[in-house]
Amino acid sequence: MDDLTRLAELHGIATSYQPAAEVTVQVPHATITTVLACLGVPADTPEKIRAAVAEAALEAAVRPLPHTVVHWRGEPLPVAPAGSRVLLEDGGEAPWGPDLPLGVHRLTAEGPDGRTAEATLIVAPDRAPAAPGRTTHGLLVQLYSLLSERSWGMGDLGDLAELARWAGRTHGVGFIQVNPLHAAVPGTPTDPSPYRPSTRRFPDPVHLRIEDVPEYAHCPDREALDDLAARGAELRRAVLEKGELIDRDAVWELKRRALELLYAVPRTAGRAAAYAAFRAEQGDPLDRHAAWCAGHAGEDPRERVDFHRWLVWLTVEQLAAAQSAAREAGMAVGIVHDLAVGVHPQGSDVGGPRHYAEDISVGAPPDAFNARGQDWGLPPWRPDALAAAGYAPFRDLLRGVFRYAGALRIDHVMGLFRLWWIPRGTPPAEGTYVSHDGEAMLAVLVLEAHRAGALVVGEDLGTVEPRVRDALARRGVLGTSVLWFERDWARGGAPLEPEEWRADCLATATTHDLPPTAAKLAGAHVELRDRLGLLARPVEVERAEDEADTAEWLAVLDRLGLETKDEESAVLALYGFLLRTPARLVGVWLPDAVGDRRPQNLPGTWDQYPNWRLPIADGSGRPLTLEALTASPRANALLSAVREGVRTRTAPPGARSV
């Protein structure tokens, strides 16, 4: 092993990777040295490399503790030097032993040379909270796409609460999973992707239902508010009746003007006290984000910071109200929020303490679907900085979302363990994997989920190291299984029999990045990609392969006695198949309930397709309001059948638990 390879491994940087079992790709030396420099390790000359290796070896030899120690409650206590002391997160002290309280503490020990060393000590439950019962069914929806007759041009948190009340009371739905509702980066136009936010800690006030803000009823300028509401109704009609795209910027302009009026309304004593408590609880991170928002709006942060703090508070209030509505409607879980894998490089998170790597973005190496790899344009957390901060940024992020979530979906959950780093100006294929302390990240996640009493679902689609999937399952983090991808590759790639599916997962027929089920059954997604010039092979080849794939699944459904006489019955049959698996959670993509054929996002496109800007529509492409959707015979038939299937199902023989 040469010195550069050794140094890279000491800092969690891969010098090679395996895109396939029998293929090993070497990482370019230039990538390794650049990534080391981003971690504060100069390695541009042999002398600097040797010096850095020697320094790391010396520290490892004299340091009595690793930088982070994890203790899973109920499991053997990690080894620590005699006389080690623990400073608890509440400020108290405790002896080193198996009865330490849950939390993130500081462990102190003395080394052989007499020097004292400290480590972050994470004491976590052995598993995250479990799913209620053997099976719970729910809905998956992109909130912006769900417009009611009260929306101002895009779905809002009032719509989410109404969907929850209907779905819980009418169809016994146990959860509703939504897209990330993190604050966006304003622009011209604003990037509509919910997966490139300015911050993951604070939500976006564009999702507010203006009429539900308590100060609305006491605003003296009623005429101005009514005018703004009327213009919001025009935006709604433009989307629902005229076929226009959802215009987030136009919606926010109207809501911002309305909120300016409401901000001027004096608050009651109780409201003022609640807001003061929220400000004190959120502290400097809220102040920094609010100042950033003011600056990006072209305002003086010193004068306008409180307005933007107040917007965050209002949004958190309505998020909590949506979760309360879901639980009051009988939902066992409630709202499942989505945590994006990263933040925009010019976002408010990146502008805070230096926890993010500079001149680096994350993505994915080349694979069968992307021969050149992917660059997502999102800066990664520096593993060393995160560990040095005792994982406080990650803990604070989780606590912020868990305060109004019944469960959390983590996009690209493999990122807890490693991410593909791409230096600026480097093609995605010339990046490398950089590792976190996966056990520490997982322990923080399980700890905060336990404190919130919330489930955790990991999006583990694609290439996943076996050790990662095993660790997630062991700690109670549910995986994600999408029907079309579940094949028995060890036995020729045939569709995986329902009893062979893992139990600890959210099972669904599709996702926001895949074609709706009606489109897949009809092959419409192939034709769409052909029209947009996205196919890498002749359309005839793609069409034939897709038709064969679909036919294979339909044959399985027929063999199981699940009727597939037409599109609607075939969609029902596919969800019926999911109910024959042992999956803990079964999710219904809400557009599937009305036959929508348009994907919400088409990977590989930017302006060629209206990603993240389409309302839910029926099979003909006619947009539907929330009220029309809840009255739809097709939607009610599907959800009633899923509920009945949940009631009557029994565990398949031999069902796997991981």
Side-chain angles (χ1 to χ4, degrees):
M1 181 186 297
D2 62 35
D3 285 338
L4 182 61
T5 299
R6 185 180 178 192
L7 184 61
E9 290 187 355
L10 287 169
H11 291 277
I13 302 168
T15 57
S16 65
Y17 67 97
Q18 289 188 291
E22 299 178 356
V23 178
T24 299
V25 178
Q26 298 298 320
V27 175
H29 279 204
T31 297
I32 298 171
T33 56
T34 299
V35 171
L36 281 167
C38 287
L39 297 178
V41 182
D44 52 330
T45 67
E47 294 76 18
K48 290 179 181 178
I49 293 172
R50 285 194 294 270
V53 169
E55 181 181 351
L58 177 62
E59 183 193 20
V62 301
R63 184 177 175 84
L65 293 169
H67 290 282
T68 305
V69 177
V70 174
H71 174 43
W72 299 100
R73 177 65 62 80
E75 297 184 5
L77 195 68
V79 175
S84 296
R85 304 186 309 279
V86 178
L87 177 64
L88 302 177
E89 65 180 5
D90 64 4
E93 289 194 22
W96 176 248
D99 297 325
L100 289 165
L102 298 175
V104 180
H105 316 299
R106 296 297 295 171
L107 176 62
T108 303
E110 188 174 292
D113 61 353
R115 288 189 293 182
T116 298
E118 287 191 344
T120 298
L121 170 64
I122 307 169
V123 183
D126 64 338
R127 290 179 64 84
R134 207 189 68 76
T135 306
T136 302
H137 67 293
L139 301 176
L140 317 177
V141 63
Q142 301 282 291
L143 179 57
Y144 59 84
S145 71
L146 184 72
L147 284 75
S148 74
E149 294 176 359
R150 295 181 61 191
S151 304
W152 288 24
M154 64 182 283
D156 60 36
L157 292 170
D159 297 324
L160 179 59
E162 283 303 314
L163 177 68
R165 293 185 185 100
W166 169 76
R169 291 169 181 160
T170 306
H171 294 292
V173 163
F175 66 91
I176 296 176
Q177 179 181 299
V178 296
N179 55 285
L181 303 182
H182 313 312
V185 176
T188 310
T190 297
D191 184 346
S193 172
Y195 291 93
R196 284 171 57 83
S198 70
T199 176
R200 295 182 293 174
R201 179 165 177 178
F202 301 113
D204 198 314
V206 76
H207 301 111
L208 284 168
R209 167 68 63 82
I210 298 298
E211 295 85 346
D212 289 350
V213 176
E215 284 74 22
Y216 185 88
H218 306 288
C219 181
D221 200 344
R222 177 62 55 184
E223 184 177 347
L225 278 182
D226 290 346
D227 177 66
L228 291 168
R231 295 173 64 184
E234 291 175 6
L235 291 179
R236 178 180 68 246
R237 287 191 294 271
V239 173
L240 295 174
E241 300 172 12
K242 300 177 183 178
E244 295 188 15
L245 299 176
I246 292 169
D247 187 340
R248 181 191 181 105
D249 292 330
V251 172
W252 175 237
E253 175 59 22
L254 294 180
K255 289 190 175 183
R256 183 192 62 77
R257 292 172 62 183
L259 289 162
E260 294 277 7
L261 297 173
L262 302 186
Y263 180 68
V265 177
R267 292 167 211 133
T268 65
R271 294 274 294 163
Y275 176 45
F278 179 78
R279 286 181 52 184
E281 180 187 54
Q282 299 300 316
D284 289 342
L286 176 61
D287 293 342
R288 286 196 302 270
H289 174 66
W292 180 92
C293 290
H296 270 68
E299 303 165 341
D300 184 346
R302 291 170 299 180
E303 296 180 2
R304 297 289 292 165
V305 66
D306 190 64
F307 174 68
H308 293 280
R309 279 192 300 242
W310 178 74
L311 295 180
V312 173
W313 175 59
L314 292 183
T315 312
V316 169
E317 277 196 321
Q318 289 197 6
L319 284 162
Q323 172 64 3
S324 295
R327 296 305 296 268
E328 289 166 5
M331 290 192 185
V333 176
I335 310 301
V336 181
H337 284 276
D338 197 350
L339 185 67
V341 70
V343 294
H344 195 283
Q346 277 80 54
S348 66
D349 275 3
V350 177
R354 301 288 290 276
H355 295 133
Y356 287 87
E358 295 183 353
D359 298 323
I360 296 285
S361 62
V362 297
D367 57 26
F369 300 99
N370 293 277
R372 288 177 289 189
Q374 301 175 61
D375 186 339
W376 302 332
L378 308 171
W381 265 328
R382 284 181 50 165
D384 59 331
L386 204 56
Y391 299 92
F394 187 41
R395 289 153 52 200
D396 292 343
L397 165 61
L398 293 173
R399 288 177 184 175
V401 179
F402 275 135
R403 71 184 295 153
Y404 47 72
L408 183 63
R409 174 195 181 267
I410 300 183
D411 190 44
H412 195 72
V413 71
M414 300 82 79
L416 295 178
F417 296 82
R418 68 176 188 177
L419 281 169
W420 184 256
W421 284 31
I422 307 165
R424 177 183 292 179
T426 300
E430 295 180 15
T432 187
Y433 281 112
V434 176
S435 295
H436 282 282
D437 183 336
E439 186 177 36
M441 296 286 282
L442 188 54
V444 169
L445 174 62
V446 170
L447 172 64
E448 297 302 334
H450 168 81
R451 286 172 161 170
L455 309 184
V456 181
V457 178
E459 186 269 298
D460 59 349
L461 303 175
T463 302
V464 187
E465 294 176 286
R467 69 177 183 92
V468 169
R469 192 162 272 149
D470 290 345
L472 293 170
R474 181 182 180 188
R475 299 305 173 192
V477 177
L478 303 177
T480 301
S481 293
V482 178
L483 181 139
W484 306 105
F485 300 155
E486 291 297 312
R487 289 180 171 272
D488 190 346
W489 300 111
R491 288 179 285 184
L496 195 65
E497 294 295 327
E499 64 270 14
E500 291 297 319
W501 284 44
R502 55 181 170 171
D504 295 333
C505 74
L506 163 63
T508 185
T510 190
T511 74
H512 59 266
D513 284 333
L514 296 173
T517 304
K520 168 62 175 165
L521 291 169
H525 62 112
V526 175
E527 307 306 324
L528 172 61
R529 294 181 68 83
D530 180 48
R531 289 197 303 274
L532 296 176
L534 299 175
L535 297 181
R537 300 181 297 173
V539 65
E540 296 80 10
V541 175
E542 294 279 355
R543 186 185 296 123
E545 187 174 291
D546 183 68
E547 288 175 353
D549 177 78
T550 301
E552 239 184 330
W553 278 102
L554 292 177
V556 171
L557 300 179
D558 290 339
R559 175 167 52 79
L560 294 174
L562 296 166
E563 189 177 87
T564 59
K565 64 180 180 180
D566 55 24
E567 176 191 290
E568 187 172 346
S569 65
V571 171
L572 189 92
L574 287 166
Y575 282 102
F577 177 94
L578 295 179
L579 292 171
R580 296 196 180 194
T581 74
R584 306 290 184 204
L585 304 178
V586 173
V588 177
W589 178 238
L590 189 57
D592 278 355
V594 289
D596 197 344
R597 294 192 176 196
R598 305 174 306 171
Q600 285 294 315
N601 179 50
L602 191 59
T605 63
W606 180 246
D607 57 0
Q608 309 100 306
Y609 186 80
N611 296 319
W612 319 112
R613 289 174 288 170
L614 293 172
I616 292 178
D618 63 17
S620 68
R622 179 175 62 91
L624 297 176
T625 63
L626 171 59
E627 292 81 3
L629 188 150
T630 59
S632 163
R634 178 169 178 168
N636 281 282
L638 174 61
L639 295 179
S640 294
V642 170
R643 182 182 194 182
E644 186 60 27
V646 169
R647 283 174 172 171
T648 59
R649 69 184 278 198
T650 57
R656 298 184 295 131
S657 62
V658 296

